[in-house]
Amino acid sequence: MSNILFVVTGADHWTLADGTRHPTGFWAEEVVAPYEVFTGAGHEVVVATPGGVVPTVDKASLAPEVTGGPEGADRIVQALASFTRLQQPLRLEDVDLADYDAVFYPGGHGPMEDLAVDAVSGRLLADALGSGKPLGVVCHAPAALLAAEDADGGSPFAGYRLTGFTNAEEAQAGLADRAKWLLQDRLTELGADFSEGEPWAPYTVVDRNLYTGQNPASSGPLAEKMLAALRG
């Protein structure tokens, strides 16, 4: 059995270019699908957030139109309720990477607000990348990579092939024109080799021990690839 750390956003909003607060948090599917993959294989999942705040689910991610209908919406709400560690997160500041066999960052727009500028998270990401342990980051969670620095002040993720929520998807979601910055642009600027698939379709990229997924539909497949690595 492996111990897997989920680093979840503590933000409940995303500040847009005009200063308005867009309600958000974590995206339900990106927590539930990987949680079910990992725990279904017998692994333990622990949650940490900045400051140990109880994370907020993005209400939009519970809507029937994104969960496959009313039954899907009910199922994901029940799944979140059964994931009791979400209500008892560790303080990210107290986390010791040595206690975990893999690290996973689910998305939602929340990471664009807090994890993108969280130095504690940035150090954890850099250490996880250097450790060789599987490091999974999906959808908007690659925003957290922006806070990671190497010894020279550059990005440890420069030169890595990866993916994340694309400019095309942000535009189709109706928020690209209102954002202070776009994730795909920032990841490209830090020197990552950004790769993208079709909007909203599952798309994952693996480069060494870095596992990235483009969007919510990619979260389950990404966790399956990490699971294969944990099996050795």
Side-chain angles (χ1 to χ4, degrees):
M1 183 186 77
S2 296
N3 288 320
I4 301 170
L5 177 68
F6 276 32
V7 179
V8 182
T9 177
D12 62 4
H13 67 276
W14 176 33
T15 305
L16 301 176
D18 65 0
T20 59
R21 291 185 167 196
H22 175 70
T24 186
F26 68 84
W27 197 260
E29 180 179 2
E30 297 170 30
V31 165
V32 169
Y35 172 75
E36 291 180 340
V37 167
F38 293 134
T39 58
H43 301 303
E44 185 77 16
V45 172
V46 176
V47 175
T49 63
V53 302
V54 176
T56 299
V57 63
D58 189 321
K59 299 294 192 297
S61 68
L62 305 177
E65 54 266 31
V66 299
T67 54
E71 289 185 5
D74 289 344
R75 194 195 76 78
I76 207 161
V77 167
Q78 291 170 7
L80 285 173
S82 70
F83 188 2
T84 55
R85 290 286 181 90
L86 274 175
Q87 303 302 316
Q88 304 161 342
L90 303 176
R91 283 170 31 93
L92 184 58
E93 297 81 355
D94 297 335
V95 162
D96 184 347
L97 178 63
D99 294 335
Y100 303 96
D101 303 290
V103 178
F104 183 81
Y105 277 65
H109 279 107
M112 302 278 281
E113 184 74 20
D114 63 350
L115 297 178
V117 294
D118 190 300
V120 173
S121 171
R123 286 192 294 273
L124 176 68
L125 284 163
D127 291 346
L129 188 70
S131 74
K133 297 175 181 181
L135 171 60
V137 196
V138 69
C139 198
H140 285 94
L145 308 188
L146 302 177
E149 290 188 355
D150 59 24
D152 300 320
S155 173
F157 296 93
Y160 273 78
R161 187 167 176 264
L162 52 74
T163 190
F165 203 68
T166 64
N167 290 355
E169 287 167 322
E170 203 72 82
Q172 290 177 22
L175 289 166
D177 292 342
R178 302 175 62 195
K180 290 181 180 179
W181 49 270
L182 297 176
L183 179 59
Q184 181 176 347
D185 292 346
R186 284 290 181 90
L187 292 172
T188 301
E189 289 166 8
L190 67 74
D193 179 8
F194 192 93
S195 175
E196 63 184 295
E198 290 297 317
W200 312 109
Y203 184 72
T204 60
V205 175
V206 180
D207 186 350
R208 287 156 278 184
N209 63 314
L210 178 63
Y211 295 71
T212 53
Q214 180 173 313
N215 46 37
S218 307
S219 55
L222 188 67
E224 293 283 3
K225 291 192 173 184
M226 293 178 67
L227 188 61
L230 288 168
R231 291 189 183 117

